[in-house]
Amino acid sequence: MKYISTRGAGLTSGEPQSFSSILLGGLAPDGGLYLPTEYPQVTADELRAWRQLSYAELAAKVLAKFAGDIPAEILADLTKRTYTAEVYRNVRPGEDAADITPLLPLGVEGDTQLSLLALSNGPTLAFKDMAMQLLGNLFEYALAQHGDALNILGATSGDTGSAAEYAMRGKEGIRVFMLSPAGKMSAFQTAQMYSLQDPNIFNLAVEGVFDDAQDIVKAVSNDHAYKARYKIGTVNSINWARVVAQVVYYFKGYFAATGGKSGQDGEVSFTVPSGNFGNVCAGHIARMMGLPIRKLVVATNENDVLDEFFRTGRYRVRKSAETFHTSSPSMDISKASNFERFLFDLLGRDATATADLLKKVEREGGFDLSGSEAFARVAKFGFVSGRSTHADRLATIQDVAKRYDVVIDTHTADGVKVAREALEPGVPMVVLETAQPAKFAETIREALHREPPRPAGFEQLESLPQRFETVPNDVERVKAYIAEHTGL
């Protein structure tokens, strides 16, 4: 399996790259994102055999499709060490930690089974742990092969940062520099990141919104001399390995929704709360591999750039001042980095057309594909979308708690609200849970007038000492900070 850039070859040699050669990086040299030259296919026999596998075994099989240059036994060892009940222990009462991603059936609505796929049982109580824990082990393995070091630069709107930091803390040869929008995360999310005292973790609060922090990461990644000098890598979902790791739970969710180990074939739809498009992009990849996914439902909050595109064909990036600070803050994103990967496929894998549209975004703030042959292909890929507001979140949290005695977080509430608008009789609908409600206690209290459940060990999190530095929205200031603290 070889990799190309969405904007062209993207390589000084002009040759496609291996999985290992792009593992530690983020953007391709031409500013594009890596994708395989073609999507590997899963046969019907493989699907039947994979039903019987544990999560770790399934992850090794999926990764082997994309990382053929890493020995299968190494992948199996890495996934076995990653996906354990000890790491993913923060389950709800009645759930089995050994399942890693338990399926929680809510009920039958409109002749359709509506379920949640629990992805928040890891150390930071968010779905980002599913990929990030594996990425930490993959990075450590790759660096050990060459005796090298890595300085990870990332941007977070809440959950990516803590998941990355908990996955990388104490890892040999790795430092983490995480940018977050100052004052824009929940109290729990902020404490989870800023309370870490590990010497290889650096938290920088950027005076701006998430898109500003993400733009800094991209600008640094596009400074190739600086990137090489200071050995910069990324853990945001622009990193291909992280997206691949997320593909795994679509297979696991599909198997669970169609009867587990002894189930039958059939289509399943997934609803995905979406900000940076990485999570639902993994679903697109699973579908392209042959997983029988009927619909991929993109759920946005008030920052509805993606919903507007999937409904109208118009893509219009909002400026920082137009980006809303909402009660589902991890989705307060107006420039979804991973949308470029889907756009590449939508345009028939035409790198020139992709690059031209993205240049138009830089010049004019967006583009319009309405009425085009390309936009007509959206339905072929199974995408639909919807939007949720703060009032919708409160109503959905209240309804799910009353009807099913389940407390969900604000982002998952966006997903449930939009999923209900896309139900089809006889097609199971699985909503990907994004986080545990304890991370967004302010809104849970507003909706339910009580505290959300909080797993053991997190009781006093917000009272812990915090270590971070506030920086202006300035690329050069961030680059200077990294250079000062890398030890290189």
Side-chain angles (χ1 to χ4, degrees):
M1 178 60 65
K2 297 292 185 179
Y3 293 88
I4 55 174
S5 167
T6 51
R7 303 188 191 185
L11 312 162
T12 53
S13 65
E15 295 296 325
Q17 297 285 285
S18 68
F19 180 87
S20 293
S21 66
I22 67 170
L23 171 62
L24 300 178
L27 296 175
D30 62 1
L33 302 181
Y34 287 112
L35 275 175
T37 53
E38 59 184 6
Y39 293 113
Q41 297 302 293
V42 177
T43 67
D45 287 343
E46 283 177 314
L47 275 178
R48 283 190 289 272
W50 287 6
R51 277 189 179 275
Q52 312 301 317
L53 303 179
S54 68
Y55 194 94
E57 292 167 336
L58 178 62
K61 292 292 187 183
V62 172
L63 258 71
K65 293 277 187 180
F66 294 95
D69 58 325
I70 298 179
E73 61 271 20
I74 296 295
L75 291 175
D77 177 65
L78 290 173
T79 57
K80 185 178 179 181
R81 288 195 284 116
T82 300
Y83 297 111
T84 68
E86 290 72 31
V87 173
Y88 295 90
R89 67 184 184 278
N90 296 303
V91 295
R92 292 182 174 91
E95 292 180 343
D96 185 353
D99 284 345
I100 308 300
T101 58
L103 188 74
L104 177 63
L106 293 180
V108 176
E109 298 189 12
D111 297 323
T112 298
Q113 177 63 56
L114 178 66
S115 303
L116 298 179
L117 187 64
L119 301 177
S120 64
N121 297 330
T124 72
L125 312 184
F127 82 95
K128 305 290 177 73
D129 290 323
M130 295 305 304
M132 212 66 78
Q133 288 290 313
L134 178 62
L135 207 59
N137 287 329
L138 278 168
F139 278 7
E140 192 171 48
Y141 162 76
L143 293 171
Q145 295 297 104
H146 306 287
D148 210 346
L150 182 69
N151 291 304
I152 292 171
L153 176 62
T156 184
S157 53
D159 292 330
T160 293
S162 55
E165 292 175 354
Y166 277 75
M168 305 297 169
R169 60 191 307 198
K171 294 289 186 187
E172 190 68 30
I174 297 177
R175 285 183 172 88
V176 179
F177 297 86
M178 190 58 60
L179 311 182
S180 58
K184 300 291 195 301
M185 300 185 294
S186 74
F188 189 106
Q189 289 174 310
T190 301
Q192 204 165 36
M193 287 177 56
Y194 295 175
S195 64
L196 289 179
Q197 304 296 322
D198 303 73
N200 70 323
I201 303 297
F202 301 88
N203 280 302
L204 300 179
V206 177
E207 295 173 333
V209 298
F210 168 78
D211 291 324
D212 297 319
Q214 182 167 254
D215 285 345
I216 291 174
V217 172
K218 288 183 177 180
V220 173
S221 295
N222 279 319
D223 184 339
H224 304 305
Y226 182 93
K227 183 178 177 182
R229 169 70 179 85
Y230 292 104
K231 301 180 179 180
I232 303 295
T234 64
V235 291
N236 279 68
S237 52
I238 58 176
N239 182 292
W240 172 249
R242 191 178 136 191
V243 177
V244 171
Q246 292 175 308
V247 171
V248 180
Y249 50 70
Y250 282 90
F251 281 87
K252 190 67 161 30
Y254 171 82
F255 295 144
T258 54
K261 293 185 177 181
S262 58
Q264 300 295 318
D265 294 338
E267 290 186 315
V268 172
S269 291
F270 290 89
T271 296
V272 189
S274 193
N276 219 15
F277 205 74
N279 201 5
V280 75
C281 185
H284 166 65
I285 294 161
R287 192 174 186 272
M288 296 296 286
M289 293 172 70
L291 189 66
I293 296 175
R294 182 169 177 81
K295 286 182 181 177
L296 287 166
V297 186
V298 177
T300 74
N301 63 11
E302 294 89 335
N303 297 295
D304 56 358
V305 174
L306 295 172
D307 178 47
E308 182 178 0
F309 173 79
F310 284 110
R311 285 187 297 102
T312 70
R314 293 188 295 273
Y315 182 75
R316 182 175 60 88
V317 171
R318 282 34 160 189
K319 296 178 181 177
S320 296
E322 300 174 298
T323 301
F324 297 105
H325 177 40
T326 76
S327 51
S328 50
S330 296
M331 292 157 58
D332 291 348
I333 297 170
S334 290
K335 290 185 279 189
S337 287
N338 271 281
F339 184 65
E340 181 172 336
R341 286 187 165 113
F342 173 68
L343 188 63
F344 181 70
D345 285 341
L346 189 66
L347 296 172
R349 307 204 117 209
D350 186 331
T352 300
T354 303
D356 287 346
L357 277 187
L358 293 167
K359 288 175 185 174
K360 193 169 185 179
V361 173
E362 293 299 318
R363 292 194 312 268
E364 303 173 21
F367 54 79
D368 188 350
L369 294 181
S370 59
S372 69
E373 291 184 12
F375 185 62
R377 289 195 288 268
V378 165
K380 167 192 167 186
F381 291 110
F383 277 91
V384 295
S385 68
R387 178 181 185 271
S388 178
T389 66
H390 180 69
D392 294 326
R393 282 188 281 283
L394 295 178
T396 303
I397 291 168
Q398 291 164 355
D399 178 73
V400 171
K402 181 179 180 180
R403 194 185 303 199
Y404 303 119
D405 194 27
V406 173
V407 181
I408 56 176
D409 82 284
T410 53
H411 308 75
T412 305
D414 289 333
V416 171
K417 185 265 183 183
V418 174
R420 284 170 160 166
E421 300 166 352
L423 297 176
E424 294 179 286
V427 181
M429 175 65 80
V430 177
V431 177
L432 299 193
E433 180 206 41
T434 62
Q436 295 211 14
K439 301 193 79 166
F440 307 96
E442 299 93 333
T443 306
I444 303 302
R445 286 193 294 268
E446 183 181 357
L448 302 180
H449 308 292
R450 58 186 168 93
E451 291 294 324
R454 183 174 287 216
F458 293 90
E459 295 85 359
Q460 304 300 321
L461 181 66
E462 290 90 338
S463 65
L464 296 174
Q466 297 186 7
R467 181 173 66 92
F468 67 97
E469 186 161 334
T470 301
V471 295
N473 178 20
D474 185 295
V475 175
E476 295 306 317
R477 286 287 297 274
V478 171
K479 287 165 72 172
Y481 183 93
I482 294 170
E484 182 182 346
H485 292 84
T486 58
L488 295 176

